[in-house]
Amino acid sequence: MFFSIIIPLYNRPQEIKELLETLTLQTYKDFEVLVIEDGSIKDAAAVIKAFEGKLNLRYFVKANEGQGFTRNYAFERAKGDYFIIFDSDCLIPAHYLQIVNDSLATNWLDAYGGPDDAHPSFTPTQKAISYSMTSPFTTGGIRGNKKGIGQFHPRSFNMGISRQVWEKAGGFIITRLGEDIEYSIRIHSLGFKIGLIPDAKVYHKRRTNFLQFYKQLHFFGRARINVYKFFPQQLKAVHFFPAIFTLFIIFTIISNIISWPIAHVCNIVLAIFTLLIFFHSWWKNKSLKIAFLSVIAAFIQLTAYGLGFMQDFWKRVILKKS
């Protein structure tokens, strides 16, 4: 099978260099790479030139439209039987394409998603963020595993679709704010077979500091409401958990200030939750520092998502503003 790897890029030349280096190491060689510069001020032209002769690589420059429509631009130019989408901040294990090819040969999927993990070279903060986004104690725990809640929705940091899916479903119809979730749901609705390939893992850098992580998760919370506007039935109880957690934090702070008796119970609940994250991360990462940072990352993830979710739920669902 011939794969077209599609990578939208915006002002991240160093990231694309590291990603392309991992693609030169793929054991499966039947693929092309399309890098689409989405109106970047700091472009990657020099980086791309350095990979001439090392990869079957095509580089395009276009006006800024956002990642969804940039992927559509690539779909229209891709030559592959199957399109694979990566974020520019991913590193791809050497056997990734071989795993995908073998999996599709034995269990065909019209579209698939794969999990993400932290690379050993990541900073402690990046490893803590990765832990939080994949932890069973946060909503990240329902992503990228076989026991996810409801339909499996591939995410665009590690996602593949067949050419037939693109020909029938078209591309992304929104460019930001949950565009990959909307696309996955639409693919489901057309009767295509979608699933997880558990071993098709990528190393996902995400954000390098907690402020960037907060902004990203706040955006994700808003994105869930954007998806709701297209598919109201896809808003599940689990999506309210970060908002409930955020309100619980606020209530705990207030109850401690006012000295309500319930404050003691709230403090115990938060302490148990904190210890669960700390010891689980310590066990998984074998690092006290990462375990401590994982607690911070988990609280940021849930509260940032919760605040973004509540903001747009109030504005777009309750007040019905555009």
Side-chain angles (χ1 to χ4, degrees):
M1 184 180 298
F2 185 64
F3 294 106
S4 291
I5 295 176
I6 292 166
I7 309 164
L9 187 64
Y10 183 70
N11 290 335
R12 295 184 177 186
Q14 181 57 33
E15 283 188 353
I16 194 63
K17 178 177 182 292
E18 294 171 356
L19 191 162
L20 292 177
E21 284 172 350
T22 66
L23 292 178
T24 65
L25 303 176
Q26 290 298 303
T27 57
Y28 186 91
K29 303 295 185 181
D30 204 8
F31 68 95
E32 65 171 353
V33 182
L34 289 79
V35 176
I36 317 298
E37 196 85 68
D38 185 31
S40 299
I41 298 172
K42 189 176 182 180
D43 68 47
V47 172
I48 299 299
K49 188 173 180 60
F51 284 89
E52 290 180 359
K54 298 179 182 180
L55 287 168
N56 179 1
L57 176 60
R58 291 190 285 154
Y59 178 57
F60 301 89
V61 178
K62 56 180 280 298
N64 179 261
E65 292 181 292
Q67 62 267 27
F69 295 162
T70 299
R71 297 181 194 117
N72 291 347
Y73 183 96
F75 291 161
E76 293 168 358
R77 291 158 177 80
K79 300 175 181 177
D81 310 301
Y82 216 99
F83 306 156
I84 297 177
I85 303 166
F86 293 135
D87 281 353
S88 63
D89 60 350
C90 289
L91 303 176
I92 316 304
H95 296 289
Y96 178 94
L97 289 178
Q98 189 66 61
I99 289 169
V100 171
N101 186 72
D102 292 348
S103 179
L104 293 176
T106 56
N107 178 32
W108 175 259
L109 295 171
D110 298 297
Y112 77 88
D116 59 330
D117 202 354
H119 191 269
S121 66
F122 287 4
T123 67
T125 297
Q126 286 176 309
K127 290 178 179 178
I129 289 172
S130 178
Y131 168 81
S132 178
M133 290 297 289
T134 56
S135 170
F137 301 110
T138 68
T139 54
I142 68 172
R143 299 166 56 255
N145 67 73
K146 295 179 180 178
K147 298 179 180 178
I149 297 173
Q151 290 179 342
F152 173 68
H153 297 148
R155 304 301 176 93
S156 55
F157 65 83
N158 181 11
M159 177 182 184
I161 65 167
S162 68
R163 176 173 288 275
Q164 290 73 26
V165 167
W166 174 66
E167 289 172 348
K168 185 172 182 180
F172 294 86
I173 61 172
I174 51 178
T175 196
R176 300 182 181 90
L177 277 176
E179 79 288 346
D180 50 355
I181 302 174
E182 187 283 328
Y183 196 34
S184 295
I185 295 170
R186 187 153 38 93
I187 293 170
H188 267 292
S189 70
L190 293 172
F192 288 109
K193 185 180 180 182
I194 303 182
L196 171 73
I197 301 180
D199 295 329
K201 175 178 69 175
V202 301
Y203 299 112
H204 197 187
K205 294 179 186 178
R206 301 191 181 280
R207 298 300 179 256
T208 57
N209 61 60
F210 286 137
L211 178 59
Q212 292 175 345
F213 185 51
Y214 174 89
K215 292 178 179 178
Q216 182 185 48
L217 267 294
H218 188 271
F219 190 83
F220 286 177
R222 295 180 57 215
R224 176 53 63 178
I225 299 302
N226 201 39
V227 173
Y228 162 81
K229 299 300 289 185
F230 287 89
F231 302 101
Q233 72 279 9
Q234 291 293 331
L235 191 62
K236 308 297 184 183
V238 68
H239 299 134
F240 288 86
F241 173 70
I244 294 170
F245 179 84
T246 303
L247 293 173
F248 179 76
I249 293 288
I250 295 171
F251 177 79
T252 300
I253 293 171
I254 294 172
S255 63
N256 276 280
I257 292 173
I258 301 178
S259 298
W260 288 344
I262 193 67
H264 181 64
V265 176
C266 294
N267 292 335
I268 291 174
V269 172
L270 283 180
I272 293 172
F273 180 69
T274 299
L275 290 172
L276 284 171
I277 293 170
F278 180 86
F279 284 109
H280 185 259
S281 178
W282 187 11
W283 169 78
K284 185 175 181 181
N285 293 291
K286 308 297 187 293
S287 167
L288 283 171
K289 182 176 182 178
I290 295 173
F292 173 75
L293 293 172
S294 294
V295 173
I296 298 174
F299 274 72
I300 290 174
Q301 177 194 342
L302 292 171
T303 54
Y305 188 106
L307 289 171
F309 181 93
M310 289 189 289
Q311 170 190 308
D312 275 30
F313 187 87
W314 175 256
K315 181 172 69 175
R316 302 186 64 189
V317 179
I318 303 300
L319 299 182
K320 300 187 184 304
K321 292 184 178 180
S322 172

